[in-house]
Amino acid sequence: MAKKVLLITGDAAESLEVLYPYQRLREEGYDVHVAGPSRKKLNFVVHDFVDGYDTFTEKPGYTWPADFAFVEVRPENYVALVLPGGRAPEYLRNNPVVQRIVRHFFAAEKPVAQICHGPLVSAAAGVLNGRRTAAYPAIAPDVRAAGATWMDGEAVVDGTLVSARGWVDHPAWMREFVQVLRAKAPA
């Protein structure tokens, strides 16, 4: 039986930051489950950079079904956690069930991959204090307010936490995360 990885997301998550780790971890032999606020079709977005804009733009992206609602997740059944970015973390971080799930992975020192705005979720769960993490540069103040050191890197490894700034960092981010995952919970 394949070992399971949990991917927590919701509407307005960045399409690439959900689907790339989903496919890459399946390629490694892991069974990846997507959990959302409810069992429904989630609506992702595409963030892109357009000349003349001071920040990224947002366009409709892919849709994807959530395998489980957050309340159905038993985190002890999973060997690792992925926290994608986009706008979803802005509201997911306020969910006490999500916070409890995230705290489980950090307390058990299981591998966690977070990218872009994903660290908003771990910050709200209170697990970033004293850690180093990459994140989208615009949320560096949030990372620092959570007691962490924001790092401007494509793949920052802090123990079992592997983080990146955004989807342009995917190759380095997943390469480092897969190494941590293979060491802690080989497929």
Side-chain angles (χ1 to χ4, degrees):
M1 177 181 279
K3 292 187 178 172
K4 297 185 282 189
V5 174
L6 180 65
L7 192 151
I8 289 180
T9 195
D11 288 331
E14 165 55 54
S15 293
L16 291 173
E17 293 173 3
V18 173
L19 298 177
Y20 182 76
Y22 177 87
Q23 292 171 334
R24 180 66 187 93
L25 295 171
R26 287 181 45 122
E27 180 182 74
E28 281 293 314
Y30 294 92
D31 188 10
V32 182
H33 293 166
V34 175
S38 63
R39 281 192 193 217
K40 69 168 202 155
K41 186 183 290 187
L42 299 169
N43 298 285
F44 302 146
V45 297
V46 173
H47 290 139
D48 203 358
F49 300 92
V50 177
D51 288 340
Y53 279 73
D54 292 328
T55 188
F56 54 83
T57 62
E58 184 173 280
K59 300 167 181 73
Y62 293 103
T63 60
W64 199 266
D67 298 307
F68 298 102
F70 298 141
V71 296
E72 297 174 288
V73 170
R74 297 180 51 91
E76 62 274 11
N77 293 338
Y78 294 90
V79 298
L81 173 67
V82 177
L83 297 171
R87 280 187 302 111
E90 293 174 7
Y91 67 92
L92 296 179
R93 66 181 166 175
N94 299 315
N95 186 311
V97 176
V98 169
Q99 293 174 10
R100 177 185 54 79
I101 292 168
V102 170
R103 282 193 292 270
H104 166 85
F105 284 90
F106 278 83
E109 297 183 13
K110 294 180 181 180
V112 175
Q114 60 185 16
I115 189 167
C116 194
H117 287 69
L120 290 173
V121 178
S122 51
V127 296
L128 286 185
N129 191 38
R131 305 213 61 146
R132 294 178 304 111
T133 186
Y136 190 70
I139 70 161
D142 302 276
V143 167
R144 291 183 187 112
T149 301
W150 176 76
M151 306 294 293
D152 187 11
E154 64 183 5
V156 174
V157 180
D158 184 354
T160 57
L161 173 63
V162 182
S163 57
R165 298 166 296 197
W167 54 262
V168 295
D169 296 334
H170 278 165
W173 177 56
M174 275 292 109
R175 183 172 41 253
E176 294 298 328
F177 185 63
V178 166
Q179 286 182 6
V180 170
L181 197 49
R182 285 176 180 162
K184 289 288 278 185

